[in-house]
Amino acid sequence: MRRWNGWGDTTTNYPLPENALEILQNWVGPATPPHDVTFAQAVTAVPDSRLPEHPLISRQAEVRLRHARGQSLPDLIALRSGRIGAFPDGVAFPNSDEEVVELIRFAGQHGFRLIPYGGGTSVVGHINPEPGGAPVITVALQRLNRLRHFDETSQLATFGAGVQGPDLEAQLRARGYTLGHFPQSFELSTLGGWVATRSSGQQSLGYGRIENLFAGGTLHSPVGKLSLPPLPASAAGPDIRQVVLGSEGRLGIITEATVRVSPLPERDDFHAVFFPDFDAGREAVRRIVQAGLPLSMMRLSTAVETQTTLALAGHEKLIGTLDRLLTLRGVKEGKCMLLVGFTGNKDVTKTSRKEVLGLAGKFKGVHVGRQFGKQWQKGRFRTPYLRNSLWEVGYAVDTLETAVNWSGVPGMIAAIETALTEAAAGFNEQIHVFTHLSHVYPTGASIYTTYLFRLAADPDETLERWRLMKTAASQAIVAHKGTISHQHGVGVDHAPYLAAEKGELGMAVITDLTRRFDPRGIMNPGKLIIG
Ligand SMILES: Cc1cc2nc3c(=O)[nH]c(=O)nc-3n(C[C@H](O)[C@H](O)[C@H](O)COP(=O)(O)OP(=O)(O)OC[C@H]3O[C@@H](n4cnc5c(N)ncnc54)[C@H](O)[C@@H]3O)c2cc1C
């Protein structure tokens, strides 16, 4: 069963390694475990529903609680403390596109609000009802999860938009194909959510981001149906797919999506290379990606992230051997780990491996084989469970992400990490902060920063600490001309910074689009654009 107040399935845990508490204390000080409310206590806070009865809508308090919040740190603070604020008045689980259309009609008729809900994995407040205002129906799309059409000749698969990652991949794998879209939230997030938030999977360097994979589909809006034919390419004016991508539930509900799939690869190997410092690693990565080699991933950690990963990996013997080997090759303190994904045909991956390792060697990169890559691959969807364990001993973790051109990468990393550290110093706390380049492009890279800090005794104080750090980091991102989001979307938390990126006319166009699709403002108000 899914956890109601944390990440993932209740049967999966990620216990902290033995020495973790000592390490955490050294980084940010000793912490006190929080007093979390129980599910039963949280349910008592759910107010009566304001909705009339409807056969498609559940008004049960338990169901409404489970759909009240996403997975951001403020969401976690709210759920664990029981200070949840707003709840949907009902949750619908449509079984068909027709039922989705009926829900939109019903909401329109009565002036109710609708929140499309995929996997509820948003980390920026996308699926949270606004406090106050009209009654809210959350539309959980998980039952629209079937493979509806498979055109093997064209390598196109059409799914119900509520299909979750593992289910989607299983249905494709049975036919010898993959979508290759693996966000870290893969276990729970859905195809419709990926499209609506412009998601990026860990192997986007090879398979492409969701905007490359999304060929077309169907969106039902309050003013009617929008069909997007899955054409290979088109010069027929502006591309309306791009309007649906990133629409964050403001324009309507995506009920099906056609995606471009690939045959299962012969090889899907991840190798580790260690560089003496981050500058060397970054230059190597830039040269490799600009050489256009067929890779599925390059993920370069800063020295602090490398140290953190190795310290929390819990494989002391292996890490001791690694350190000795790297020291002999001149890679010591300050080392930075690069993980490279070689995915595809046997011969092609062999050739690209040779090229990549050759280029890495020019920057003093030391190839250490597949072992670290294998471990990363094995644990790639397990890492978010660590957040639950850290919370239980009194530590909060949050992540931030942006993208910027190569020339701006070093300045951006420094600016974000400094902004977070200084904001924490303002409330007399230390944070542990580290960064990696998570997605790379010929012209730039995404920057993904993680920061860990102690929970305060009062959950409102923890929330305030988060707010101060998030604001400082977001302002740093805007000041250094990065995007306010490379992959998590806008939701509520990033909405104040969107205008800096889109400009006045750009914002007016987005606002006009929401009005055209949804003149009465029933779709997911308060998200993407303020108001
Ligand atoms: C631990 C963790 C790791 C993550 N890793 C990544 C990552 O690697 N890459 C990445 O891109 N993101 C990542 N995310 C963020 C999140 O998983 C993505 O934003 C994801 O795309 C959300 O999908 P979802 O189905 O959960 O959507 P939800 O959270 O349910 O909804 C997100 C938004 O999309 C809208 N929406 C959802 N479905 C539909 C639909 N069918 N029609 C219309 N609108 C819809 C909702 O209204 C909402 O505005 C991570 C989140 C967590 C918690």
Side-chain angles (χ1 to χ4, degrees), residues 370-530:
R370 285 176 56 194
Q371 194 153 0
F372 284 96
K374 264 191 184 161
Q375 262 167 23
W376 172 84
Q377 196 174 14
K378 205 170 133 205
R380 66 199 285 194
F381 306 128
R382 217 178 135 238
T383 319
Y385 288 89
L386 193 53
R387 221 171 49 152
N388 303 337
S389 315
L390 287 167
W391 177 277
E392 277 144 27
V393 292
Y395 297 96
V397 194
D398 192 28
T399 59
L400 281 162
E401 38 84 51
T402 181
V404 74
N405 294 334
W406 281 114
S407 47
V409 167
M412 180 65 90
I413 296 177
I416 294 173
E417 293 193 350
T418 306
L420 289 167
T421 309
E422 285 178 356
F427 51 82
N428 296 320
E429 284 290 317
Q430 269 184 291
I431 57 165
H432 184 63
V433 56
F434 48 90
T435 298
H436 65 260
L437 304 184
S438 57
H439 300 262
V440 295
Y441 305 90
T443 57
S446 73
I447 290 168
Y448 191 94
T449 300
T450 303
Y451 58 108
L452 179 140
F453 60 104
R454 295 195 289 187
L455 298 178
D458 179 354
D460 287 344
E461 174 59 23
T462 306
L463 185 62
E464 184 53 20
R465 288 179 182 179
W466 170 82
R467 203 184 307 283
L468 290 167
M469 290 188 286
K470 177 77 177 176
T471 303
S474 301
Q475 286 171 348
I477 288 172
V478 170
H480 285 76
K481 309 250 177 292
T483 173
I484 197 59
S485 178
H486 168 264
Q487 63 200 56
H488 290 161
V490 179
V492 174
D493 298 341
H494 293 154
Y497 309 96
L498 192 63
E501 192 167 327
K502 303 291 182 197
E504 204 178 317
L505 184 56
M507 289 304 288
V509 170
I510 298 173
T511 307
D512 287 352
L513 277 169
T514 63
R515 292 199 181 128
R516 183 68 190 83
F517 278 84
D518 178 26
R520 288 159 66 193
I522 67 168
M523 297 302 311
N524 209 6
K527 319 299 161 53
L528 181 63
I529 46 171
I530 299 166

Side-chain angles (χ1 to χ4, degrees), residues 116 118-122 141 183-185 190 193 197 199-200 248 254 487 524:
T121 67
S122 162
L141 294 151
Q184 199 188 39
S185 57
T190 64
T197 60
S199 160
S200 192
E248 302 196 353
I254 304 158
Q487 63 200 56
N524 209 6

Side-chain angles (χ1 to χ4, degrees), residues 2 7 70-72 114-127 139 141 161-163 181-186 188-202 219 247-250 252-256 383-385 387 439 448 486-489 491 523-524 527:
R2 186 168 168 178
W7 180 256
Q71 291 288 331
S72 68
L114 288 177
I115 302 182
Y117 183 104
T121 67
S122 162
V123 282
V124 288
H126 278 124
I127 54 89
V139 184
L141 294 151
V163 66
H181 189 74
F182 303 110
Q184 199 188 39
S185 57
F186 174 75
L188 298 175
S189 54
T190 64
L191 177 55
W194 300 338
V195 173
T197 60
R198 299 187 84 96
S199 160
S200 192
Q202 289 164 338
L219 173 123
S247 56
E248 302 196 353
R250 288 293 310 233
I253 299 183
I254 304 158
T255 53
E256 72 173 30
T383 319
Y385 288 89
R387 221 171 49 152
H439 300 262
Y448 191 94
H486 168 264
Q487 63 200 56
H488 290 161
M523 297 302 311
N524 209 6
K527 319 299 161 53

Side-chain angles (χ1 to χ4, degrees), residues 104-119:
I104 296 174
R105 186 204 61 75
F106 177 66
Q109 185 189 356
H110 297 281
F112 300 147
R113 305 291 180 252
L114 288 177
I115 302 182
Y117 183 104

Side-chain angles (χ1 to χ4, degrees), residues 21-22 26 79 94 96 110 119 157 192 212-213 244 250 265 284 297 345 356 375 395 420 437 449 480 486:
L21 273 185
E22 200 188 318
N26 284 339
L79 291 166
S96 63
H110 297 281
N212 310 110
L213 300 168
V244 172
R250 288 293 310 233
M297 186 183 91
N345 168 292
V356 165
Q375 262 167 23
Y395 297 96
L420 289 167
L437 304 184
T449 300
H480 285 76
H486 168 264

Side-chain angles (χ1 to χ4, degrees), residues 293-340:
L293 298 167
L295 302 173
S296 67
M297 186 183 91
M298 276 201 281
R299 178 191 161 112
L300 178 70
S301 298
T302 57
V304 179
E305 179 164 302
T306 303
Q307 251 176 33
T308 306
T309 309
L310 298 179
L312 293 179
H315 301 285
E316 280 172 37
K317 237 173 147 183
L318 171 67
I319 288 157
T321 314
L322 172 79
D323 276 342
R324 282 191 294 280
L325 168 87
L326 290 176
T327 306
L328 285 175
R329 307 279 304 271
V331 176
K332 303 177 189 166
E333 294 269 298
K335 61 180 172 292
C336 291
M337 181 167 79
L338 169 69
L339 289 174
V340 194

